[in-house]
Amino acid sequence: MSFNSLPLEIKQTIWQLALHAAVDEPEVCIVWPIKTGGYDPISKPFLVDTAFPVLMHVCGQWREFVLSSCQQPSSPVKFRFSRQANCRVPYRHFRPSTDILYSSSMNHEEAIKCHLIDWEPGVPRTTLAAVRHLAVDWPLWMDPMDFLPELVFRACPDLEKVSVVFPSSRQAIWSCFKAPAKRCKLRRVEGADELSAVRDWDEEKVLVSMQWQVDEGAAILDEDAQSTWQNELHIHEHTMGEPGGGWFVGTAWDKKREKFCLEYEPAAFVQYKRSENGDETWVEGCEDRLIEWVDCWKNPGTLEPSPEQLAISPEEWRVNDEDGYKL
C-alpha cells in the first residue's frame, strides 16, 4: 500500500508526528535588543528560528497541511514575516532546557544580571531556572564574576554549560561583534589553543589564544568562588532570614567543595545560507559584523533600537532583522 492510498486521517497523523520531529533540534535564542540603553525592555516572548519543515518541500498537499496546522495554538511551528528573507519564516518558542540562551556584554545588564536576590531580570527567573546552556560573548567573559555567580545562586541553579563566543572559528579576532541577524547556530571552536592573536592587555600587547581566554575566565571563577559563596550566604541570612545554604538547590554549584560544576567551551556563530543549487549550508556568522569598543559600551543611541523597533511583535515580525546598526 502506498502512502497516497492511506486514509486522510492517517496521513495527517503521520504528518503531525513529522512536524513535531522537525522542530526538536536545539536552537539558539538571541536576546533582543542586542544592545540596550539601560531602560530598553527585553523583547518577549523568547523565540527561536527553525528550519522550514521538510514536509513543505514534498508536495502542495503537504505544504498546505503545514501552513494550516501552524494556525492552531498547539502547533509546534509557526510563521512570522522576515524583512531579510522577504517572506514568512518558521519559528517556535524557546525551550530553556534544550535550547541555548545567548546574551552579550551589550545587553546582559538588562537580560540576565541578577542585581539583587529578589531582582527580576529581563529574562524571567522562571525561564532562567530551566536554562542548561548559556552562551556569552568573550568581552563579557573577561569578567565572569560580574554576572555568573549571582546568576547561578539566584536564578539558574542547574546551569550545565557556558559557551564563550568569539567572532570567528577560524582566527582569533579581539573585537566586539554583533550577533547574526539570520538564523544561526553555535559551533564549538576546535584547536582554540592554536588560534592566537596580539591584543591589548593592561596597556601592553600580548599574544593570547582563544582557549586561554576561556580558561582564564574559569580560573577567575575558581579563585573567587569561596568568597563569593560566603558573601551570598551572608546576604541570604541578613536580608532574607535564611541562614545556612539550604535555600540553594541545584547542580551548578557544589556546596560541599564550594566550587562551580560547569563546562566551558570556546564557540562561534555560524549562520544559515542557501547555496545556488538550493542546498542548506552554514557559514561564519560574525567575521563581518565587528564593532568598535566605544560603540559596544558607550555612544548612546549607537546600535540601540528605535521606539518603533521596540514596538514590533516578535511573533508577527522577526525582530532580529531589525539590526538598527547605523555605523
Side-chain angles (χ1 to χ4, degrees):
M1 177 182 291
S2 67
F3 182 83
N4 287 334
S5 64
L6 293 174
L8 179 61
E9 293 78 6
I10 295 179
K11 288 195 290 186
Q12 289 180 337
T13 299
I14 295 174
W15 290 339
Q16 194 66 44
L17 292 173
L19 187 58
H20 277 268
V23 295
D24 283 343
E25 184 178 352
E27 302 287 353
V28 182
C29 178
I30 297 177
V31 176
W32 193 88
I34 58 101
K35 181 180 180 181
T36 54
Y39 300 98
D40 297 329
I42 298 299
S43 179
K44 300 182 184 71
F46 299 103
L47 310 173
V48 298
D49 296 310
T50 70
F52 279 88
V54 176
L55 294 178
M56 297 186 69
H57 305 298
V58 177
C59 66
Q61 185 183 27
W62 292 27
R63 181 182 179 87
E64 286 302 318
F65 170 79
V66 173
L67 293 177
S68 61
S69 295
C70 75
Q71 304 299 323
Q72 304 299 321
S74 60
S75 174
V77 62
K78 297 183 181 297
F79 287 81
R80 55 182 172 174
F81 186 79
S82 168
R83 180 175 55 83
Q84 285 201 13
N86 196 31
C87 66
R88 295 178 65 80
V89 296
Y91 75 91
R92 63 167 170 77
H93 283 264
F94 171 56
R95 299 170 180 171
S97 62
T98 56
D99 292 329
I100 304 170
L101 180 68
Y102 175 77
S103 181
S104 75
S105 53
M106 295 188 290
N107 66 13
H108 82 286
E109 288 276 353
E110 286 73 33
I112 62 172
K113 190 170 175 62
C114 299
H115 299 270
L116 303 170
I117 288 180
D118 56 353
W119 187 271
E120 185 68 20
V123 180
R125 287 172 176 267
T126 52
T127 300
L128 289 173
V131 169
R132 300 295 182 268
H133 190 169
L134 175 71
V136 299
D137 62 347
W138 77 267
L140 181 56
W141 191 246
M142 288 194 298
D143 185 13
M145 293 299 299
D146 179 59
F147 74 97
L148 191 62
E150 61 192 25
L151 177 63
V152 169
F153 296 151
R154 301 172 183 177
C156 202
D158 292 312
L159 185 66
E160 298 174 357
K161 186 175 185 178
V162 179
S163 291
V164 182
V165 186
F166 296 87
S168 171
S169 66
R170 302 182 294 192
Q171 57 182 318
I173 302 176
W174 302 115
S175 173
C176 293
F177 62 94
K178 301 171 291 189
K182 300 179 180 179
R183 181 185 172 220
C184 61
K185 290 185 177 295
L186 277 177
R187 173 184 292 167
R188 181 183 177 89
V189 177
E190 302 297 338
D193 55 335
E194 299 177 357
L195 297 175
S196 304
V198 175
R199 56 167 288 195
D200 294 329
W201 187 267
D202 290 337
E203 300 183 355
E204 296 182 3
K205 292 187 179 297
V206 295
L207 185 65
V208 177
S209 75
M210 294 163 64
Q211 187 63 55
W212 180 90
Q213 187 67 63
V214 176
D215 295 341
E216 177 68 7
I220 291 173
L221 286 171
D222 287 341
E223 181 179 347
D224 296 333
Q226 291 184 345
S227 60
T228 303
W229 172 245
Q230 293 301 320
N231 182 62
E232 195 72 10
L233 290 175
H234 177 80
I235 293 175
H236 269 269
E237 180 175 357
H238 292 276
T239 303
M240 308 297 291
E242 299 173 332
W247 48 267
F248 180 83
V249 179
T251 59
W253 174 254
D254 187 327
K255 290 188 288 186
K256 185 175 182 179
R257 296 189 301 157
E258 296 189 347
K259 184 180 181 65
F260 287 105
C261 303
L262 299 171
E263 176 187 353
Y264 311 103
E265 70 166 12
F269 280 115
V270 290
Q271 66 182 13
Y272 173 79
K273 181 180 180 180
R274 184 172 291 278
S275 62
E276 294 182 357
N277 60 6
D279 292 336
E280 180 181 279
T281 60
W282 296 90
V283 299
E284 291 287 333
C286 298
E287 287 182 347
D288 61 348
R289 295 174 67 79
L290 308 180
I291 58 177
E292 298 292 335
W293 287 90
V294 68
D295 292 321
C296 182
W297 288 306
K298 300 180 181 179
N299 288 353
T302 304
L303 303 180
E304 295 170 16
S306 67
E308 292 76 18
Q309 290 171 325
L310 289 172
I312 293 175
S313 168
E315 293 180 292
E316 297 180 8
W317 293 78
R318 189 176 180 277
V319 294
N320 303 70
D321 288 339
E322 301 297 325
D323 268 332
Y325 305 135
K326 300 177 178 64
L327 297 180

Coordinates of all heavy atoms in Angstrom, one line a residue, residues 64-114:
E64 N 0.3 22.6 2.3 CA -0.9 23.2 2.8 C -1.2 22.7 4.2 O -1.8 23.4 5.0 CB -2.1 22.9 1.8 CG -2.0 23.7 0.5 CD -2.1 25.2 0.8 OE1 -2.8 25.6 1.7 OE2 -1.3 25.9 0.1
F65 N -0.9 21.4 4.4 CA -1.1 20.9 5.8 C -0.3 21.6 6.8 O -0.8 22.0 7.9 CB -0.8 19.4 5.8 CG -0.8 18.8 7.2 CD1 -1.9 18.5 7.8 CD2 0.4 18.7 7.9 CE1 -1.9 18.0 9.1 CE2 0.5 18.1 9.2 CZ -0.7 17.8 9.8
V66 N 1.0 21.9 6.5 CA 1.8 22.6 7.4 C 1.3 24.0 7.7 O 1.2 24.5 8.8 CB 3.3 22.7 6.9 CG1 4.1 23.6 7.8 CG2 3.9 21.3 6.8
L67 N 1.0 24.7 6.6 CA 0.5 26.1 6.8 C -0.8 26.2 7.5 O -1.0 27.1 8.3 CB 0.4 26.7 5.4 CG 1.7 26.9 4.6 CD1 1.4 27.5 3.2 CD2 2.6 27.9 5.4
S68 N -1.7 25.2 7.3 CA -3.0 25.2 8.1 C -2.8 24.8 9.5 O -3.4 25.3 10.4 CB -4.0 24.3 7.4 OG -3.5 23.0 7.4
S69 N -1.8 23.9 9.8 CA -1.6 23.4 11.1 C -1.0 24.5 12.0 O -1.2 24.6 13.2 CB -0.7 22.2 11.1 OG -1.3 21.1 10.5
C70 N -0.1 25.3 11.4 CA 0.6 26.3 12.2 C -0.4 27.4 12.7 O 0.0 28.2 13.6 CB 1.7 27.0 11.3 SG 1.1 28.2 10.1
Q71 N -1.6 27.4 12.2 CA -2.6 28.3 12.8 C -3.2 27.9 14.1 O -3.8 28.6 14.8 CB -3.7 28.5 11.8 CG -3.3 29.0 10.4 CD -2.6 30.3 10.4 OE1 -2.9 31.2 11.2 NE2 -1.5 30.5 9.6
Q72 N -3.0 26.6 14.4 CA -3.5 26.0 15.6 C -2.6 26.3 16.8 O -1.4 26.3 16.7 CB -3.6 24.5 15.5 CG -4.5 24.0 14.3 CD -5.9 24.5 14.4 OE1 -6.5 24.6 15.5 NE2 -6.5 24.9 13.3
P73 N -3.2 26.7 18.0 CA -2.4 27.0 19.2 C -1.4 25.9 19.6 O -0.3 26.2 20.1 CB -3.4 27.2 20.3 CG -4.7 27.6 19.5 CD -4.6 26.8 18.3
S74 N -1.7 24.7 19.3 CA -0.9 23.5 19.7 C 0.2 23.2 18.7 O 1.0 22.4 18.9 CB -1.7 22.3 19.9 OG -2.4 21.9 18.7
S75 N 0.3 24.0 17.6 CA 1.2 23.7 16.6 C 2.7 23.9 17.1 O 2.9 25.0 17.7 CB 1.0 24.5 15.3 OG 2.0 24.4 14.4
P76 N 3.6 23.0 16.8 CA 5.0 23.2 17.3 C 5.7 24.3 16.5 O 6.8 24.7 16.9 CB 5.6 21.8 17.2 CG 4.9 21.2 16.0 CD 3.5 21.7 16.1
V77 N 5.3 24.6 15.3 CA 5.9 25.6 14.5 C 4.9 26.6 14.0 O 3.8 26.3 13.7 CB 6.6 24.9 13.3 CG1 5.6 24.2 12.4 CG2 7.4 25.9 12.5
K78 N 5.4 27.8 14.0 CA 4.6 28.9 13.5 C 5.4 29.8 12.5 O 6.6 29.5 12.3 CB 4.0 29.8 14.6 CG 3.1 29.0 15.6 CD 2.6 29.9 16.7 CE 1.7 29.1 17.6 NZ 0.5 28.5 16.9
F79 N 4.8 30.8 11.9 CA 5.5 31.6 10.9 C 5.3 33.0 11.2 O 4.3 33.5 11.7 CB 4.9 31.3 9.5 CG 5.3 29.9 8.9 CD1 4.7 28.8 9.3 CD2 6.4 29.8 8.1 CE1 5.1 27.5 8.8 CE2 6.8 28.6 7.6 CZ 6.1 27.4 7.9
R80 N 6.3 33.8 10.9 CA 6.3 35.3 11.0 C 7.1 35.9 9.8 O 7.8 35.2 9.2 CB 7.0 35.7 12.3 CG 8.4 35.2 12.5 CD 9.0 35.6 13.8 NE 10.3 34.9 14.0 CZ 11.1 35.2 15.0 NH1 10.8 36.1 15.9 NH2 12.3 34.5 15.2
F81 N 6.8 37.1 9.6 CA 7.4 37.7 8.4 C 8.9 38.2 8.7 O 9.2 38.7 9.7 CB 6.6 39.0 7.9 CG 7.1 39.5 6.6 CD1 6.8 38.9 5.4 CD2 8.0 40.6 6.6 CE1 7.3 39.4 4.2 CE2 8.5 41.1 5.4 CZ 8.1 40.6 4.2
S82 N 9.8 37.9 7.7 CA 11.1 38.3 7.8 C 11.4 39.3 6.7 O 11.2 39.0 5.5 CB 12.1 37.1 7.7 OG 13.4 37.5 7.5
R83 N 11.9 40.5 7.1 CA 12.3 41.5 6.2 C 13.5 41.1 5.3 O 13.5 41.3 4.1 CB 12.6 42.8 6.9 CG 13.0 44.0 6.0 CD 13.2 45.2 6.8 NE 14.1 45.1 7.9 CZ 15.4 45.2 7.7 NH1 15.9 45.4 6.5 NH2 16.3 45.0 8.7
Q84 N 14.4 40.4 5.9 CA 15.6 39.9 5.2 C 15.2 38.9 4.2 O 15.7 38.9 3.0 CB 16.7 39.4 6.1 CG 17.4 40.5 6.9 CD 18.7 40.0 7.4 OE1 19.2 38.9 7.0 NE2 19.3 40.7 8.3
A85 N 14.4 37.9 4.5 CA 14.0 36.8 3.6 C 12.9 37.3 2.7 O 12.7 36.6 1.7 CB 13.6 35.6 4.4
N86 N 12.2 38.3 3.0 CA 11.1 38.8 2.2 C 10.0 37.8 2.1 O 9.4 37.6 1.1 CB 11.5 39.3 0.9 CG 10.5 40.2 0.2 OD1 9.7 40.9 0.9 ND2 10.4 40.1 -1.1
C87 N 9.8 37.0 3.2 CA 8.7 36.0 3.2 C 8.5 35.6 4.7 O 9.2 36.1 5.6 CB 9.1 34.8 2.4 SG 10.5 33.8 3.1
R88 N 7.5 34.8 4.9 CA 7.2 34.3 6.2 C 8.2 33.1 6.5 O 8.3 32.2 5.7 CB 5.8 33.9 6.4 CG 4.8 35.0 6.2 CD 3.4 34.6 6.3 NE 3.0 34.1 7.7 CZ 2.8 34.8 8.7 NH1 2.8 36.2 8.6 NH2 2.5 34.3 9.9
V89 N 8.8 33.1 7.7 CA 9.7 32.1 8.1 C 9.3 31.4 9.3 O 8.6 32.0 10.2 CB 11.1 32.7 8.3 CG1 11.7 33.3 6.9 CG2 11.1 33.8 9.3
P90 N 9.7 30.2 9.5 CA 9.2 29.4 10.7 C 10.0 29.7 12.0 O 11.1 30.1 12.0 CB 9.5 27.9 10.3 CG 10.7 28.0 9.4 CD 10.5 29.3 8.6
Y91 N 9.3 29.6 13.1 CA 9.8 29.8 14.4 C 9.1 29.0 15.4 O 8.0 28.4 15.1 CB 9.8 31.3 14.8 CG 8.4 31.7 15.2 CD1 8.0 31.7 16.6 CD2 7.5 32.2 14.3 CE1 6.7 32.1 17.0 CE2 6.2 32.7 14.7 CZ 5.8 32.6 16.0 OH 4.6 33.0 16.4
R92 N 9.6 28.8 16.6 CA 8.9 28.2 17.7 C 9.3 28.9 19.0 O 10.3 29.7 19.0 CB 9.2 26.7 17.8 CG 10.6 26.3 18.1 CD 10.8 24.9 18.4 NE 12.1 24.4 18.5 CZ 13.0 24.7 19.5 NH1 12.6 25.4 20.5 NH2 14.2 24.2 19.5
H93 N 8.7 28.6 20.1 CA 9.0 29.2 21.3 C 10.3 28.6 21.9 O 10.6 27.4 21.7 CB 7.9 29.0 22.3 CG 6.8 30.0 22.1 ND1 6.6 31.2 22.8 CD2 5.7 29.9 21.2 CE1 5.6 31.8 22.3 NE2 5.0 31.1 21.4
F94 N 11.1 29.4 22.6 CA 12.3 29.0 23.2 C 12.1 27.9 24.3 O 11.2 28.0 25.1 CB 13.0 30.2 23.9 CG 14.1 29.9 24.8 CD1 15.3 29.3 24.3 CD2 14.2 30.4 26.1 CE1 16.4 29.0 25.1 CE2 15.3 30.2 26.9 CZ 16.4 29.5 26.4
R95 N 12.9 26.8 24.2 CA 12.8 25.8 25.2 C 14.1 25.8 26.0 O 15.1 25.3 25.6 CB 12.7 24.4 24.5 CG 11.4 24.3 23.6 CD 11.5 23.0 22.8 NE 10.3 22.9 21.9 CZ 10.2 22.0 21.0 NH1 11.2 21.2 20.7 NH2 9.1 22.0 20.2
P96 N 14.0 26.4 27.2 CA 15.2 26.6 28.0 C 16.0 25.4 28.4 O 17.2 25.5 28.6 CB 14.7 27.4 29.2 CG 13.3 27.1 29.3 CD 12.8 26.9 27.9
S97 N 15.4 24.3 28.5 CA 16.1 23.1 28.9 C 16.9 22.4 27.8 O 17.8 21.6 28.1 CB 15.1 22.0 29.5 OG 14.1 21.6 28.5
T98 N 16.6 22.8 26.5 CA 17.3 22.2 25.4 C 18.0 23.2 24.5 O 19.0 22.9 23.9 CB 16.4 21.3 24.6 OG1 15.2 22.0 24.2 CG2 15.9 20.1 25.4
D99 N 17.4 24.4 24.4 CA 18.0 25.4 23.5 C 19.1 26.1 24.3 O 19.3 26.0 25.4 CB 16.9 26.4 23.1 CG 15.9 25.8 22.1 OD1 16.3 24.9 21.4 OD2 14.7 26.2 22.2
I100 N 19.8 27.0 23.5 CA 20.9 27.8 24.1 C 20.4 29.3 24.2 O 19.9 29.8 23.3 CB 22.1 27.7 23.2 CG1 22.6 26.3 22.9 CG2 23.3 28.6 23.8 CD1 23.6 26.1 21.9
L101 N 20.7 29.8 25.4 CA 20.3 31.2 25.6 C 21.6 32.1 25.4 O 22.6 31.8 26.1 CB 19.8 31.4 27.0 CG 19.4 32.9 27.4 CD1 18.2 33.3 26.5 CD2 19.1 33.0 28.9
Y102 N 21.5 33.1 24.5 CA 22.7 33.9 24.3 C 22.4 35.4 24.7 O 21.4 36.0 24.3 CB 23.1 33.9 22.8 CG 24.2 34.9 22.4 CD1 25.5 34.6 22.7 CD2 23.9 36.1 21.8 CE1 26.5 35.4 22.4 CE2 25.0 37.0 21.5 CZ 26.3 36.7 21.8 OH 27.3 37.5 21.6
S103 N 23.3 35.9 25.5 CA 23.3 37.3 26.0 C 24.7 37.8 25.9 O 25.7 37.1 26.0 CB 22.8 37.4 27.4 OG 22.7 38.8 27.8
S104 N 24.9 39.1 25.6 CA 26.2 39.7 25.3 C 26.5 40.7 26.3 O 25.7 41.1 27.2 CB 26.3 40.2 23.9 OG 25.6 41.5 23.8
S105 N 27.7 41.3 26.2 CA 28.2 42.4 27.0 C 27.4 43.6 26.8 O 27.4 44.5 27.6 CB 29.7 42.7 26.8 OG 29.9 42.9 25.4
M106 N 26.6 43.7 25.7 CA 25.8 44.9 25.4 C 24.4 44.8 25.9 O 23.7 45.8 25.9 CB 25.8 45.1 23.9 CG 27.2 45.4 23.3 SD 27.1 45.9 21.5 CE 26.6 44.4 20.8
N107 N 23.9 43.7 26.4 CA 22.6 43.6 26.9 C 22.4 42.8 28.2 O 21.3 42.6 28.7 CB 21.6 43.1 25.9 CG 21.8 41.7 25.4 OD1 22.5 40.9 26.1 ND2 21.2 41.3 24.4
H108 N 23.5 42.2 28.7 CA 23.4 41.3 29.9 C 22.9 42.0 31.1 O 22.2 41.4 32.0 CB 24.7 40.6 30.2 CG 25.7 41.4 31.0 ND1 26.4 42.5 30.5 CD2 26.0 41.4 32.3 CE1 27.1 43.0 31.4 NE2 26.9 42.4 32.5
E109 N 23.1 43.3 31.3 CA 22.7 44.1 32.4 C 21.2 44.0 32.6 O 20.6 43.9 33.7 CB 23.1 45.5 32.4 CG 24.6 45.7 32.6 CD 25.0 45.8 34.0 OE1 24.1 45.8 34.9 OE2 26.2 45.8 34.3
E110 N 20.5 44.1 31.5 CA 19.0 44.1 31.5 C 18.5 42.7 31.3 O 17.4 42.4 31.7 CB 18.4 45.0 30.4 CG 18.5 46.5 30.6 CD 20.0 47.0 30.5 OE1 20.7 46.4 29.7 OE2 20.3 47.9 31.2
A111 N 19.3 41.8 30.6 CA 18.7 40.5 30.3 C 18.9 39.4 31.4 O 17.9 38.8 31.7 CB 19.4 40.0 29.0
I112 N 20.1 39.3 31.9 CA 20.4 38.1 32.8 C 21.0 38.5 34.1 O 21.2 37.6 35.0 CB 21.3 37.1 32.1 CG1 22.6 37.6 31.7 CG2 20.6 36.5 30.8 CD1 23.6 36.6 31.2
K113 N 21.4 39.7 34.3 CA 22.1 40.1 35.5 C 21.1 40.2 36.7 O 20.1 40.9 36.6 CB 22.8 41.4 35.4 CG 23.7 41.7 36.5 CD 24.6 42.9 36.2 CE 25.5 43.3 37.4 NZ 26.4 42.3 37.8
C114 N 21.4 39.4 37.7 CA 20.5 39.4 38.9 C 21.1 40.4 40.0 O 21.9 39.9 40.9 CB 20.3 38.0 39.5 SG 19.6 36.9 38.3

